[in-house]
Short mmCIF file of all heavy atoms in Angstrom, two decimals:
data_model
loop_
_atom_site.label_atom_id
_atom_site.label_comp_id
_atom_site.label_asym_id
_atom_site.label_seq_id
_atom_site.Cartn_x
_atom_site.Cartn_y
_atom_site.Cartn_z
N SER A 9 37.51 154.11 133.68
CA SER A 9 38.30 154.59 132.58
C SER A 9 37.65 154.12 131.28
O SER A 9 37.57 152.93 131.01
CB SER A 9 39.76 154.08 132.65
OG SER A 9 40.50 154.50 131.54
N ALA A 10 37.15 155.07 130.47
CA ALA A 10 36.46 154.76 129.21
C ALA A 10 37.48 154.70 128.07
O ALA A 10 37.67 155.69 127.34
CB ALA A 10 35.38 155.77 128.94
N THR A 11 38.18 153.58 127.93
CA THR A 11 39.27 153.44 127.01
C THR A 11 39.12 152.17 126.19
O THR A 11 38.80 151.09 126.77
CB THR A 11 40.63 153.47 127.73
OG1 THR A 11 40.75 154.65 128.48
CG2 THR A 11 41.78 153.40 126.73
N LEU A 12 39.41 152.23 124.91
CA LEU A 12 39.55 151.07 124.04
C LEU A 12 40.97 151.00 123.59
O LEU A 12 41.47 151.91 122.90
CB LEU A 12 38.58 151.15 122.84
CG LEU A 12 37.10 150.95 123.10
CD1 LEU A 12 36.33 151.07 121.82
CD2 LEU A 12 36.84 149.62 123.77
N SER A 13 41.68 149.96 123.97
CA SER A 13 43.15 149.90 123.71
C SER A 13 43.42 149.62 122.23
O SER A 13 44.48 150.05 121.72
CB SER A 13 43.80 148.84 124.59
OG SER A 13 43.18 147.57 124.36
N VAL A 14 42.56 148.87 121.54
CA VAL A 14 42.77 148.54 120.12
C VAL A 14 41.44 148.69 119.37
O VAL A 14 40.37 148.21 119.85
CB VAL A 14 43.33 147.11 119.93
CG1 VAL A 14 44.78 147.05 120.34
CG2 VAL A 14 42.51 146.07 120.69
N ILE A 15 41.50 149.36 118.23
CA ILE A 15 40.32 149.53 117.39
C ILE A 15 40.83 149.85 116.00
O ILE A 15 41.89 150.45 115.80
CB ILE A 15 39.42 150.66 117.93
CG1 ILE A 15 38.11 150.73 117.15
CG2 ILE A 15 40.12 151.98 117.91
CD1 ILE A 15 37.13 151.72 117.72
N ASP A 16 40.09 149.43 114.99
CA ASP A 16 40.47 149.69 113.61
C ASP A 16 40.54 151.20 113.35
O ASP A 16 39.72 151.96 113.89
CB ASP A 16 39.48 149.04 112.65
CG ASP A 16 39.85 149.23 111.22
OD1 ASP A 16 40.71 148.52 110.72
OD2 ASP A 16 39.22 150.15 110.57
N THR A 17 41.52 151.62 112.53
CA THR A 17 41.68 153.02 112.28
C THR A 17 40.43 153.67 111.67
O THR A 17 40.01 154.78 112.04
CB THR A 17 42.88 153.28 111.35
OG1 THR A 17 44.05 152.67 111.95
CG2 THR A 17 43.15 154.74 111.13
N GLY A 18 39.85 153.00 110.70
CA GLY A 18 38.61 153.51 110.08
C GLY A 18 37.46 153.59 111.08
O GLY A 18 36.71 154.56 111.11
N ASP A 19 37.34 152.58 111.94
CA ASP A 19 36.30 152.59 112.97
C ASP A 19 36.54 153.71 113.96
O ASP A 19 35.61 154.33 114.46
CB ASP A 19 36.26 151.26 113.70
CG ASP A 19 35.66 150.14 112.83
OD1 ASP A 19 35.03 150.48 111.83
OD2 ASP A 19 35.88 148.97 113.19
N ALA A 20 37.78 153.99 114.24
CA ALA A 20 38.11 155.05 115.19
C ALA A 20 37.66 156.42 114.62
O ALA A 20 37.12 157.25 115.34
CB ALA A 20 39.63 155.07 115.50
N ALA A 21 37.87 156.64 113.33
CA ALA A 21 37.47 157.90 112.72
C ALA A 21 35.95 158.04 112.74
O ALA A 21 35.40 159.11 113.04
CB ALA A 21 38.00 157.99 111.27
N ARG A 22 35.24 156.94 112.42
CA ARG A 22 33.76 157.01 112.45
C ARG A 22 33.27 157.16 113.89
O ARG A 22 32.28 157.86 114.13
CB ARG A 22 33.21 155.76 111.83
CG ARG A 22 33.26 155.76 110.29
CD ARG A 22 32.59 154.50 109.71
NE ARG A 22 33.43 153.33 109.86
CZ ARG A 22 34.31 152.92 108.98
NH1 ARG A 22 34.50 153.63 107.86
NH2 ARG A 22 35.04 151.85 109.16
N MET A 23 33.94 156.50 114.84
CA MET A 23 33.53 156.66 116.23
C MET A 23 33.70 158.08 116.70
O MET A 23 32.82 158.62 117.41
CB MET A 23 34.43 155.71 117.10
CG MET A 23 34.18 155.81 118.58
SD MET A 23 35.37 154.71 119.51
CE MET A 23 34.85 155.04 121.19
N LEU A 24 34.78 158.74 116.30
CA LEU A 24 34.99 160.15 116.66
C LEU A 24 33.87 161.03 116.11
O LEU A 24 33.31 161.87 116.84
CB LEU A 24 36.35 160.61 116.12
CG LEU A 24 36.70 162.09 116.30
CD1 LEU A 24 36.80 162.44 117.77
CD2 LEU A 24 38.01 162.41 115.59
N GLU A 25 33.50 160.83 114.84
CA GLU A 25 32.48 161.66 114.25
C GLU A 25 31.11 161.41 114.89
O GLU A 25 30.40 162.36 115.21
CB GLU A 25 32.43 161.32 112.76
CG GLU A 25 31.37 162.12 111.99
CD GLU A 25 31.33 161.74 110.52
OE1 GLU A 25 32.20 160.95 110.08
OE2 GLU A 25 30.44 162.22 109.82
N ILE A 26 30.76 160.13 115.09
CA ILE A 26 29.42 159.82 115.61
C ILE A 26 29.29 160.29 117.06
O ILE A 26 28.27 160.89 117.43
CB ILE A 26 29.19 158.30 115.51
CG1 ILE A 26 29.10 157.88 114.03
CG2 ILE A 26 27.94 157.91 116.24
CD1 ILE A 26 29.15 156.40 113.82
N ILE A 27 30.29 160.03 117.89
CA ILE A 27 30.19 160.37 119.31
C ILE A 27 30.23 161.90 119.49
O ILE A 27 29.51 162.46 120.32
CB ILE A 27 31.27 159.66 120.12
CG1 ILE A 27 30.98 158.15 120.19
CG2 ILE A 27 31.41 160.24 121.51
CD1 ILE A 27 31.93 157.38 121.03
N ALA A 28 31.03 162.57 118.70
CA ALA A 28 31.10 164.03 118.81
C ALA A 28 29.75 164.65 118.45
O ALA A 28 29.24 165.55 119.15
CB ALA A 28 32.20 164.56 117.90
N ALA A 29 29.11 164.17 117.38
CA ALA A 29 27.79 164.68 116.98
C ALA A 29 26.72 164.30 118.04
O ALA A 29 25.88 165.13 118.38
CB ALA A 29 27.43 164.14 115.59
N GLY A 30 26.78 163.08 118.53
CA GLY A 30 25.82 162.66 119.54
C GLY A 30 25.97 163.43 120.84
O GLY A 30 24.97 163.76 121.50
N ALA A 31 27.23 163.75 121.22
CA ALA A 31 27.45 164.48 122.47
C ALA A 31 26.89 165.92 122.33
O ALA A 31 26.32 166.46 123.29
CB ALA A 31 28.92 164.53 122.79
N ALA A 32 27.07 166.54 121.15
CA ALA A 32 26.54 167.90 120.96
C ALA A 32 25.04 167.89 121.02
O ALA A 32 24.42 168.79 121.67
CB ALA A 32 27.04 168.44 119.60
N ALA A 33 24.39 166.89 120.41
CA ALA A 33 22.92 166.82 120.43
C ALA A 33 22.42 166.55 121.84
O ALA A 33 21.44 167.14 122.27
CB ALA A 33 22.47 165.76 119.46
N ALA A 34 23.06 165.61 122.54
CA ALA A 34 22.62 165.28 123.89
C ALA A 34 22.80 166.43 124.84
O ALA A 34 21.94 166.68 125.71
CB ALA A 34 23.37 164.03 124.39
N SER A 35 23.90 167.15 124.73
CA SER A 35 24.13 168.30 125.58
C SER A 35 23.12 169.43 125.34
O SER A 35 22.67 170.08 126.28
CB SER A 35 25.56 168.83 125.39
OG SER A 35 25.82 169.94 126.22
#
C-alpha cells in the first residue's frame, strides 16, 4: 500500500504535480 498518512498540505500539492508529470513522461 503506497500511502502517506500525514504530509504537509503544500508538500502534498507539489507531490501531486511532480508525480503526475513524472508518470506521464515515464509512461
Side-chain angles (χ1 to χ4, degrees):
S9 177
T11 303
L12 288 180
S13 58
V14 287
I15 187 174
D16 181 79
T17 303
D19 288 343
R22 283 184 286 270
M23 177 183 180
L24 175 63
E25 179 182 354
I26 293 168
I27 290 183
S35 179

